[in-house]
Amino acid sequence: MKIVVLIKQVPETNNVKMDAETGTMIRDGVETIVNPLDLYAVETALQLRQSRGGTVTALTMGPPKSEKALREVVAMGCDDALQLSDRAFAGSDTWATSYILAEAIRSRLEGFDLILCGERATDGDTGQVGPAVASFLDLPLATYVSAITDVGDGIGVRRLVEGGYEKLRLPLPALLTVVKEISFPRLPTLSGKRRARQMAVERLGREELDLAEEDIGLGGSPTRVSRIFTPQVARRGRKVIVKDEGDLDRALKELLAFLDERHLLPVPERKGR
Ligand SMILES: Cc1cc2nc3c(=O)[nH]c(=O)nc-3n(C[C@H](O)[C@H](O)[C@H](O)COP(=O)(O)OP(=O)(O)OC[C@H]3O[C@@H](n4cnc5c(N)ncnc54)[C@H](O)[C@@H]3O)c2cc1C
């Protein structure tokens, strides 16, 4: 099986900071890691390779330093890595990001059987990139996949849905986004780390992928962050203070009246119902 895994480099902290003026993430000076949820996709790909043979190629789009993320998953066992990096890609929203990833897969990784993504990235957190890549490549898609039940005549998967699971069968090639339940990411090995250090990672930009400037970066992004703000949590409650035991009755009455005014008390059940 020829498997492509999409991985994203994200800030290590959960405390993602945004530039209030531009509406983009502040990435400078922040330690980066592979999006933790992508490691489950990598592990799934490696297990499929173990059972069915083939290759696993990791693909990322990001700034030059995102090469580090690729080396990390090569150390886990990926065979190959491809980096998409170009100043012209800067400012891409999820649409433009997915378009660039899809075009790279179309032109450079043809013949793939399966694309695996994480459920979502811990920084942007939209969960849109996997489905959008599938859409650009016109591929069958299953999101929130918690198990691969069989591979042969297509691929059988189990999806996590609200309150249960759903079983699906998709023809190949297909794209899956996976949840944590699917696997447990392995640690990099010493020989993997050595190979990752020595490996040449191919980097492609706009020209190599033959992409029009108006389709990528800010110009190719139909969405803009118009404002970033922390929502104010307004607590319109009332403090009812009990000074001593004798005060309890008054306080309870006050509390019940407050809840009653807001229709927050349970309606007594009528007889005969
Ligand atoms: C309206 C809007 C405007 C934005 N503007 C900017 C901007 O100006 N500058 C900027 O830097 N960012 C910007 N972003 C963020 C950037 O577009 C996203 O980080 C990127 O598109 C990925 O989306 P996400 O983080 O929500 O990933 P998700 O959709 O949550 O990720 C799901 C999965 O897709 C895959 N994936 C996601 N991103 C990549 C990637 N880059 N490479 C490989 N695989 C990937 C991974 O498998 C991941 O687990 C913007 C986002 C939005 C919504």
Side-chain angles (χ1 to χ4, degrees), residues 6-8 24 38 61 92-93 97 118 121 124 126-129 223:
L6 303 189
I7 62 151
K8 185 184 181 190
T24 57
D38 295 350
M61 182 190 111
S92 295
D93 67 2
T97 301
T126 65
Q128 291 173 359
V129 169
T223 52

Side-chain angles (χ1 to χ4, degrees), residues 9-273:
Q9 190 178 52
V10 297
E12 186 167 19
T13 166
N14 279 332
N15 189 12
V16 173
K17 294 204 172 63
M18 303 293 286
D19 183 325
E21 245 169 61
T22 59
T24 57
M25 273 168 231
I26 300 170
R27 295 173 193 271
D28 292 340
V30 182
E31 270 304 305
T32 53
I33 51 170
V34 179
N35 175 36
L37 298 170
D38 295 350
L39 298 180
Y40 296 85
V42 171
E43 178 61 36
T44 307
L46 296 176
Q47 285 181 14
L48 280 170
R49 185 189 62 189
Q50 241 161 305
S51 60
R52 306 197 56 85
T55 57
V56 177
T57 302
L59 172 65
T60 197
M61 182 190 111
K65 68 175 181 181
S66 61
E67 189 184 312
K68 177 174 160 261
L70 289 172
R71 291 192 192 279
E72 276 171 43
V73 296
V74 168
M76 280 173 75
C78 292
D79 300 279
D80 240 323
L82 183 58
Q83 185 191 26
L84 312 177
S85 191
D86 192 316
R87 278 187 172 278
F89 297 162
S92 295
D93 67 2
T94 54
W95 175 285
T97 301
S98 309
Y99 173 71
I100 296 165
L101 288 166
E103 284 303 305
I105 294 169
R106 199 196 305 276
S107 64
R108 298 297 175 124
L109 300 170
E110 60 186 7
F112 64 87
D113 300 293
L114 188 64
I115 302 175
L116 293 173
C117 297
E119 163 200 354
R120 63 190 167 80
T122 54
D123 56 352
D125 211 356
T126 65
Q128 291 173 359
V129 169
V133 169
S135 169
F136 278 121
L137 292 173
D138 206 12
L139 290 177
L141 161 77
T143 49
Y144 305 110
V145 171
S146 60
I148 292 175
T149 50
D150 66 279
V151 186
D153 176 23
I155 189 163
V157 302
R158 201 177 65 189
R159 285 187 75 220
L160 205 56
V161 292
E162 213 174 313
Y165 294 103
E166 182 181 66
K167 280 184 170 177
L168 288 180
R169 174 158 291 284
L170 295 85
L172 292 172
L175 187 147
L176 312 178
T177 78
V178 305
V179 293
K180 275 183 179 180
E181 234 179 83
I182 198 164
S183 60
F184 190 78
R186 66 191 69 189
L187 291 171
T189 60
L190 199 60
S191 61
K193 282 184 181 173
R194 200 172 302 128
R195 200 172 77 81
R197 239 192 339 263
Q198 289 162 355
M199 179 176 196
V201 173
E202 191 180 4
R203 182 184 297 175
L204 303 174
R206 185 187 73 80
E207 282 181 16
E208 289 88 352
L209 294 173
D210 198 19
L211 301 175
E213 270 181 60
E214 61 269 26
D215 292 334
I216 58 174
L218 269 182
S221 297
T223 52
R224 290 281 183 282
V225 178
S226 56
R227 188 162 79 99
I228 296 170
F229 63 98
T230 310
Q232 293 291 324
V233 181
R235 298 193 192 282
R236 282 188 286 270
R238 186 185 299 168
K239 263 189 191 165
V240 179
I241 297 170
V242 182
K243 289 191 186 120
D244 51 49
E245 220 174 301
D247 209 20
L248 204 57
D249 260 2
R250 182 213 40 91
L252 263 178
K253 276 187 192 138
E254 208 177 305
L255 194 62
L256 285 172
F258 177 80
L259 294 173
D260 197 29
E261 272 166 33
R262 285 159 184 74
H263 311 290
L264 294 173
L265 289 178
V267 180
E269 245 184 71
R270 285 202 192 134
K271 272 191 182 158
R273 289 186 78 192

